[in-house]
């Protein structure tokens, strides 16, 4: 009797709890997006995370933005961004856009934003303005920026620079971010709950938005993928970022949502530090490149959801060459021959991989071990915690590792960081010809010429094999029916690209 | 009683000092550093160095620790590297969420675990006893994260009767008074909000309370069963008291000290156990904050949060000591 009562009570309780379930269904006015990254706070310069940075560009507006249709940077808050000398760029601001409180966007705001990015004690985005030597206000709408050396990648950097108001900062200090976050972007900031969510609201008279764009968007942090998918299924959220391969089929089976894919712009690669043995021997690096069966890994572990790379970049990224093919096909016999030729058969190597940082990273590394051993390496797989591994990689203490490098819409900064002499200790690679080409591409303002130079540098790097370029993950997103959203590379979830169907 | 409380509270100070020293030392010894984790991949060495200096990480560890202590005495636990907000503000903003979850989980565990344990003890080897044992083993052995995901899939996914996570739905708009949503809702007469908050609490509280239920049930069963073999129970029965009175007023009351002790200990463990549950359910409490702070090597936040956990644990134990005197008048606070 007691058990019966208990069970009956439990059933009634569950049914009662269920009454009125799911009040958070999509309306024509607002949607929720389940994201994986945490939200640091109100300071638009305080977060190095790409997705969060792009949210601030929606609120404040950035000087340029990447147009995925055109495959290049286009002016955003600026009317034009043009080089007017070898080291001087002129930015002309739009006159037809205003801040959400009606204030104009001024040249002094651009200078203020550059200074804040550089000097704000809470800024984590100093790299964005690292190449800038000085700024000069020409008139209310015109700024001249002088770079330390010729820098054709400046427009790329300026796409990461939210333009905040000098007037409001002078009046309110850091409090301006929290209580006077008036930007000139198509969405205004409504609310932030640190570490939980961020709510943006459409600016109806902004030229970039249309009535079918959601009026409000909540970016809700949901670290657990099962939760994101479940929340998508029951209508708590309408877009789910980062659906892992094992859950894609479940999303596709949902009656109210589907999975959709976008290439990431994060190159996945095997780094081999040439200042360490045996990676100082080119044949050893080439042996690795021939040993890895990328097709098999992508098919078996990534469910086919990755695009193989022939160099550091793939389709849609700056400098991609559709005619270039990597010289390193899967050829275990070539691997063995190369190692034997170098007298390195049986050489012991430590192979490091992060765990849980990238899609099925550990499983991928585990699959690579027998491939490398088949080539003649004796492999010790190391799986340190991410913070430990990352600190060691940045310090140059890891000779051979599986890793990703994001923010590569324009690969210039990444190529410099990994492959230019003294770019960073993480690979410690040096090749005078690569140095020459990378320096030249940064000085080349003609886009076609620059593409040609970047391509040449990337071909050389690929052939010399300090890194073996593997693939770009195809990132899966879950999207509710009734919402039109094509995910973009680089984790962009821009409100003006989301449309709620009106039928 | 008052002098006992004062002594106990003064006794917290060396505990906190020891804990802070240990946590501080461990964070320093752990590989990885906050600057690597928080700044962009592309930040120059010079900018990194500037951040290291701004955060005081260039100073020797003992100097950093002493500086922390000096500020902590005035209630300043520093600012989080990750969130750039005072640690105390961050913790206080999230503490009610964790405590509210722990209270509901404890309530659930007590309401199920104690009756089940007492009744199982009263009817050993019965169907109820076997079912109770099963609940006990299930509760103790079930991993929180697994049970959490399972319940999300079943109740938020398949049946779609409960939310998958979070503390409140978008747009509930309940002004905060105490920080405890259910209490705030009742104070303001917002029964719709109370119900909604309760629905959000349901799954995480069930998961968090499951292992506690198992422990309470098993301990209650064992102590009540032992009490039932005592002479005073035989005397009570001989006096003609009903079985219900014997069981609940005599046997259970004598077992209560042990049960309350375990509830106290478990409540403390529950708050720290919530780290996993809060992550699975995106529950905006201090558990999730701790996970994030460890990932990013956010030293001030790690130390601040561990100190809060320690303080809560000690305070709960002081509360349990006070409860002893109510339960058993023979116990005196000296």
């Amino acid at each position: 009797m007691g058990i019966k009562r208990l069970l009956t009570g439990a059933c009634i309780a569950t049914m009662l709890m269920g009454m009125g379930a799911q009040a958070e269904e999509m309306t024509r006015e607002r949607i929720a997006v389940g994201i994986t990254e945490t939200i640091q706070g109100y300071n638009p310069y305080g977060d190095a995370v790409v997705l969060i940075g792009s949210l601030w560009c929606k609120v404040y507006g950035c000087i340029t933005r990447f147009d995925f249709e055109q495959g290049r940077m286009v002016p955003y808050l600026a009317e034009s961004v043009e080089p007017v000398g070898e080291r001087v760029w002129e930015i002309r601001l739009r006159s037809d856009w205003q801040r959400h409180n009606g204030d104009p966007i001024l040249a002094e705001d651009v200078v203020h934003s550059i200074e804040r990015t550089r000097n704000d004690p809470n800024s984590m985005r100093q790299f964005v303005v690292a190449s800038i030597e000085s700024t000069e206000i020409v008139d209310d709408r015109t700024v001249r920026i002088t770079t330390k050396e010729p820098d054709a990648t400046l427009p790329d950097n300026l796409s990461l620079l939210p333009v905040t108001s000098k007037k409001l900062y002078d009046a309110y200090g850091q409090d301006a971010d929290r209580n006077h976050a008036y930007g000139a972007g198509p969405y205004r900031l409504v609310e932030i709950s640190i570490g939980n969510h961020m709510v943006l609201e459409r600016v109806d008279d902004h030229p970039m938005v249309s009535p079918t764009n959601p009026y409000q968007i909540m970016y809700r942090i949901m670290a657990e993928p099962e939760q994101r998918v479940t929340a998508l299924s029951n209508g708590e959220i309408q877009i789910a970022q980062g659906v892992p391969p094992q859950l894609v089929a479940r999303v596709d089976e949902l009656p109210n949502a589907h999975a959709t894919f976008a290439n990431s712009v994060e190159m996945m690669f095997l780094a081999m530090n040439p200042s360490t043995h045996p990676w100082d021997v080119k044949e050893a690096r080439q042996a690795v490149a021939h040993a890895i069966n990328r097709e098999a890994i992508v098919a078996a572990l990534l469910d086919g959801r990755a695009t193989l790379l022939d160099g550091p970049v793939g389709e849609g990224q700056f400098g991609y060459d559709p005619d270039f093919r990597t010289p390193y096909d899967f050829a275990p016999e070539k691997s063995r021959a190369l190692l034997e030729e170098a007298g390195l058969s049986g050489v012991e190597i430590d192979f490091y991989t992060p765990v849980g940082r990238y899609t099925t990273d550990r499983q991928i590394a585990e699959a690579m071990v027998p491939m490398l051993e088949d080539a003649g390496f004796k492999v010790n797989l190391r799986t340190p915690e991410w913070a430990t591994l990352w600190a060691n990689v940045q310090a140059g203490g890891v000779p051979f590792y599986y890793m990703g490098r994001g923010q590569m819409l324009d690969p210039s900064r990444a190529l410099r960081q990994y492959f230019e002499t003294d770019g960073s200790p993480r690979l410690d690679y040096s090749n005078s010809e690569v140095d020459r080409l990378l320096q030249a591409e940064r000085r080349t303002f003609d886009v076609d010429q620059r593409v040609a130079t970047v391509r040449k540098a990337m071909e050389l790097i690929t052939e010399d094999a300090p890194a073996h370029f593997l693939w770009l993950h195809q990132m899966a997103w879950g999207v509710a029916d009734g919402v039109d959203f094509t995910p973009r590379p680089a984790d962009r979830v821009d409100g003006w690209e989301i449309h709620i169907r009106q039928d | 009683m008052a002098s006992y409380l004062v002594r106990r509270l003064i006794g917290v100070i060396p505990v906190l000092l020891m804990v802070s020293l240990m946590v501080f030392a461990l964070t320093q010894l752990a590989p990885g550093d906050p600057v690597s984790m928080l700044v962009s991949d592309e930040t120059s060495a010079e900018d990194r160095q500037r951040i290291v200096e701004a955060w005081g990480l260039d100073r020797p560890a003992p100097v950093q620790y002493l500086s922390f202590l000096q500020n902590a005495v005035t209630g300043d636990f520093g600012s989080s590297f990750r969130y750039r907000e005072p640690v105390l503000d961050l913790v206080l903003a999230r503490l009610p969420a964790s405590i509210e979850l722990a209270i509901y989980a404890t309530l659930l565990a007590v309401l199920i675990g104690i009756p089940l344990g007492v009744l199982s003890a009263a009817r050993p080897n019965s169907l109820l006893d076997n079912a109770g044992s099963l609940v006990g083993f299930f509760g103790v052995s079930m991993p929180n994260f697994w049970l959490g995901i399972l319940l999300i899939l079943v109740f938020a996914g398949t049946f779609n009767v409960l939310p998958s996570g979070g503390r409140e739905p978008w747009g509930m708009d309940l002004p905060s008074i105490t920080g405890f949503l259910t209490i705030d809702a009742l104070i303001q007469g917002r029964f719709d909000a109370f119900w909604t908050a309760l629905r959000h609490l349901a799954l995480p509280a069930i998961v968090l309370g499951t292992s506690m239920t198992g422990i309470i049930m098993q301990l209650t069963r064992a102590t009540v069963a032992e009490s039932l073999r005592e002479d005073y129970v035989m005397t009570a029965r001989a006096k003609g008291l009903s079985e219900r009175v014997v069981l609940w007023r005599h046997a259970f009351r004598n077992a209560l000290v042990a049960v309350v002790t375990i509830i106290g200990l478990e409540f403390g463990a529950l708050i720290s156990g919530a780290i996993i549950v809060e992550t699975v359910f995106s529950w905006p409490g201090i558990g999730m904050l701790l996970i994030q702070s460890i990932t990013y090597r956010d030293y001030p936040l790690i130390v601040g949060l561990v100190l809060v956990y320690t303080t809560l644990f000690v305070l709960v134990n002081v509360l349990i000591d006070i409860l002893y005197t109510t339960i058993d008048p023979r116990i005196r606070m000296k």
Side-chain angles (χ1 to χ4, degrees):
Chain A
M1 188 65 179
I3 292 176
K4 270 187 190 169
R5 277 187 190 160
L6 202 69
L7 287 173
T8 311
C11 287
I12 291 170
T14 310
M15 283 163 67
L16 282 173
M17 296 293 265
M19 281 170 61
Q22 308 328 321
E24 289 180 277
E25 285 173 3
M26 178 184 67
T27 68
R28 291 190 177 182
E29 295 294 303
R30 64 188 198 183
I31 65 163
V33 182
I35 60 172
T36 57
E37 299 284 0
T38 190
I39 294 163
Q40 167 269 347
Y42 290 87
N43 189 327
Y45 310 104
D47 211 315
V49 174
V50 177
L51 184 139
I52 308 301
S54 79
L55 297 186
W56 287 121
C57 280
K58 270 193 260 306
V59 173
Y60 288 101
C62 290
I63 294 170
T64 57
R65 67 182 175 87
F66 194 82
D67 186 308
F68 290 95
E69 303 298 333
Q70 299 181 47
R72 64 187 182 89
M73 290 291 161
V74 295
Y76 180 11
L77 283 189
E79 200 172 78
S80 63
V81 179
E82 301 290 344
V84 292
E86 203 188 25
R87 289 167 50 225
V88 183
W89 289 77
E90 189 169 276
I91 298 167
R92 182 95 180 130
L93 294 167
R94 287 173 181 274
S95 57
D96 52 341
W97 287 17
Q98 293 178 329
R99 292 190 181 279
H100 305 146
N101 64 346
D103 285 352
I105 315 148
L106 299 171
E108 65 173 23
D109 296 337
V110 175
V111 174
H112 160 76
S113 301
I114 290 169
E115 289 308 312
R116 249 194 102 182
T117 305
R118 196 196 311 273
N119 298 323
D120 187 317
N122 297 335
S123 171
M124 294 289 125
R125 302 175 76 83
Q126 291 87 351
F127 71 94
V128 170
V129 296
S131 66
I132 297 175
E133 185 178 86
S134 63
T135 51
E136 177 199 349
I137 296 174
V138 178
D139 60 43
D140 272 359
R141 285 176 48 219
T142 313
V143 184
R144 283 213 176 120
I145 292 177
T146 304
T147 56
K148 292 170 185 164
E149 55 186 59
D151 183 8
T153 67
L154 188 75
D156 182 41
N157 286 352
L158 295 178
S159 73
L160 304 170
L161 183 79
V163 179
T164 51
S165 162
K166 180 176 188 301
K167 186 176 109 182
L168 291 171
Y169 191 79
D170 288 348
Y172 303 106
Q174 297 269 355
D175 191 47
D177 298 337
R178 186 182 291 264
N179 295 315
H180 308 275
Y182 300 119
Y187 276 81
R188 68 168 66 86
L189 178 67
V190 174
E191 181 191 340
I192 286 182
S193 170
I194 291 175
N196 294 319
H197 63 250
M198 182 176 191
V199 178
L200 304 184
E201 189 173 271
R202 190 181 69 207
V203 178
D204 283 338
D205 57 357
H206 197 284
M208 287 181 74
V209 298
S210 72
T212 56
N213 294 139
Y215 179 62
Q216 283 192 328
I217 309 175
M218 174 188 268
Y219 296 90
R220 188 172 153 189
I221 298 160
M222 297 176 131
E224 178 56 51
E226 287 282 0
Q227 192 201 6
R228 289 196 298 279
V229 171
T230 304
L232 180 71
S233 77
N234 68 18
E236 286 177 79
I237 61 172
Q238 285 68 47
I239 296 176
Q241 185 201 8
V243 177
Q246 72 273 17
L247 294 181
V248 167
R250 224 181 94 205
V251 172
D252 267 333
E253 285 164 12
L254 292 176
N256 63 335
H258 60 278
T260 181
F261 299 88
N263 266 350
S264 80
V265 286
E266 183 168 40
M267 67 168 178
M268 301 306 302
F269 62 106
L270 288 171
M272 295 164 272
N273 189 327
S275 65
T276 62
H277 190 68
W279 311 118
D280 52 341
V281 181
K282 185 176 176 180
E283 286 77 6
R285 306 196 298 266
Q286 291 175 316
V288 166
H290 278 301
I292 304 299
N293 188 344
R294 300 184 299 162
E295 290 82 353
I297 291 173
V298 169
L301 294 174
L302 298 172
D303 208 18
R305 298 293 178 192
T307 304
L308 295 183
L309 285 172
D310 285 301
V313 296
E315 193 173 353
Q317 291 172 272
F318 188 85
Y320 172 66
D321 183 353
D323 299 324
F324 177 71
R325 291 285 170 269
T326 175
Y328 301 112
D329 53 332
F330 171 56
E333 68 290 347
K334 282 187 198 167
S335 275
R336 285 190 287 273
L338 281 161
L339 268 196
E340 275 170 24
E341 185 188 317
L344 288 169
S345 278
V347 66
E348 193 167 336
I349 55 171
D350 289 330
F351 176 31
Y352 288 80
T353 180
V355 179
R357 173 78 183 175
Y358 307 105
T359 310
T360 56
D361 43 16
R362 183 188 179 127
Q363 292 87 336
I364 286 170
E366 283 171 345
M368 287 176 179
V369 170
M371 295 175 189
L372 292 167
E373 294 201 324
D374 188 41
F377 293 102
K378 187 172 181 301
V379 184
N380 303 310
L381 183 63
R382 310 282 185 202
T383 55
E385 178 229 13
W386 169 248
T388 307
L389 175 62
W390 186 226
N392 288 340
V393 165
Q394 288 183 309
V398 187
F400 180 40
Y401 53 93
Y402 173 62
M403 191 66 68
R405 172 56 162 88
Q407 293 204 66
M408 283 187 57
L409 282 170
D410 183 328
S412 180
R413 290 195 307 267
L415 294 177
R416 179 181 196 174
Q417 186 180 41
Y418 275 88
F419 304 111
E420 196 167 311
T421 304
D422 297 331
S424 77
R426 64 194 65 181
L427 199 52
D428 213 8
Y429 173 68
S430 181
N431 178 323
S432 56
E433 182 56 12
V434 170
D435 289 351
R436 190 189 66 75
L437 288 166
L438 291 179
Q439 283 156 19
E441 69 87 2
R442 291 198 296 273
R443 290 196 174 94
T444 307
F445 294 96
D446 179 275
V447 173
D448 291 337
Q449 268 183 35
R450 192 173 157 237
V451 166
T453 313
V454 169
R455 282 178 178 172
K456 212 175 282 178
M458 291 195 293
E459 280 178 28
L460 200 54
I461 293 165
T462 306
E463 196 280 322
D464 206 19
H468 179 44
F469 303 105
L470 299 167
W471 49 69
L472 300 172
H473 285 296
Q474 286 172 11
M475 306 309 286
W477 296 69
V479 180
D481 296 340
V483 173
D484 287 328
F485 170 63
T486 305
R488 299 295 195 181
D491 287 338
R492 299 288 200 279
V493 198
D494 295 325
W496 60 84
E497 295 201 320
I498 302 171
H499 296 274
I500 299 177
R501 267 180 242 141
Q502 303 298 298
D503 46 278
Chain B
M1 169 79 90
S3 66
Y4 168 80
L5 280 179
V6 171
R7 276 206 315 277
R8 281 297 300 265
L9 292 176
I10 290 173
V12 173
I13 296 169
V15 174
L16 291 178
L17 273 174
M18 281 297 294
V19 169
S20 68
L21 181 63
M22 280 178 64
V23 175
F24 193 86
L26 287 173
T27 54
Q28 295 289 322
L29 289 172
D33 69 278
V35 177
S36 300
M37 292 306 295
L38 287 168
V39 302
S40 164
D41 198 7
E42 302 175 35
T43 304
S44 68
E46 296 76 33
D47 285 328
R48 273 167 193 273
Q49 188 54 32
R50 266 202 291 275
I51 293 168
V52 165
E53 286 165 17
W55 289 352
L57 295 171
D58 55 332
R59 298 175 299 169
V63 176
Q64 288 182 46
Y65 179 66
L66 288 175
S67 164
F68 165 78
L69 279 186
Q70 201 175 4
N71 294 327
V73 170
T74 64
D76 175 9
F77 292 90
S79 285
S80 154
F81 293 155
R82 173 87 181 95
Y83 299 104
R84 309 310 301 154
E85 297 271 332
V87 166
L88 205 58
D89 291 358
L90 283 170
V91 173
L92 290 179
R94 287 165 173 249
L95 195 55
S98 290
I99 292 181
E100 188 173 38
L101 176 58
I103 287 172
Y104 278 91
T106 306
L107 270 177
L108 207 65
V110 166
L111 289 177
I112 296 173
I114 289 182
L116 211 54
V118 173
L119 295 174
S120 296
R123 298 170 200 169
N125 300 320
S126 66
L127 183 65
L128 183 73
D129 185 23
N130 290 332
S133 297
L134 197 68
V135 170
F137 285 126
F138 176 85
V140 173
S141 54
M142 191 62 59
N144 272 351
F145 72 92
W146 185 85
L147 183 62
I149 289 172
L150 193 73
L151 291 187
I152 286 174
L153 287 174
V154 173
F155 289 102
T158 308
F159 296 120
N160 191 10
V161 290
L162 289 170
S164 67
R167 199 178 175 207
E168 59 183 305
W170 184 8
M172 189 161 91
D173 296 329
L174 180 72
S176 178
I177 299 170
T178 62
F180 299 97
L181 285 188
T182 48
I183 293 174
D184 287 350
L186 289 176
I187 291 172
Q188 295 169 61
R190 289 274 309 276
F191 296 106
D192 59 323
F194 174 75
W195 186 243
T196 305
L198 217 53
R199 291 181 59 248
H200 279 77
L201 269 163
L203 292 184
I206 289 171
V207 174
L208 201 54
T210 299
S211 64
M212 192 178 186
T213 305
I215 292 167
I216 290 176
M217 183 267 153
Q218 289 188 334
L219 187 97
T220 306
R221 183 189 179 281
T223 47
V224 171
E226 198 179 316
S227 294
L228 286 172
R229 288 194 289 272
E230 298 286 337
D231 290 346
Y232 67 85
V233 170
M234 200 184 295
T235 308
R237 281 183 176 137
K239 280 163 67 182
L241 295 177
S242 73
E243 198 54 32
R244 177 178 292 188
V245 173
V246 169
L247 185 63
W248 288 100
R249 195 173 295 170
H250 293 272
F252 174 62
R253 186 150 187 193
N254 274 285
L256 205 53
V257 170
V259 174
V260 166
T261 305
I262 202 70
I263 290 173
L265 288 172
E266 281 297 306
F267 185 79
L270 211 64
I271 294 176
S272 51
I275 291 168
I276 302 293
V277 175
E278 288 185 8
T279 305
V280 170
F281 288 97
S282 303
W283 189 261
I286 54 175
M288 201 158 92
L289 199 60
L290 183 61
I291 285 279
Q292 290 166 350
S293 64
I294 292 171
T295 306
Y296 287 101
R297 298 292 192 268
D298 192 341
Y299 300 154
L301 197 50
I302 295 172
V303 177
L305 282 166
V306 174
L307 289 182
V308 167
Y309 277 120
T310 311
T311 309
L312 282 174
F313 201 84
V314 172
L315 288 180
V316 167
N317 277 282
V318 171
L319 194 69
I320 296 301
D321 284 355
I322 296 167
L323 271 179
Y324 285 160
T325 60
T326 315
I327 296 164
D328 188 345
R330 292 169 300 179
I331 299 173
R332 292 278 175 271
M333 296 294 166
K334 288 184 180 171

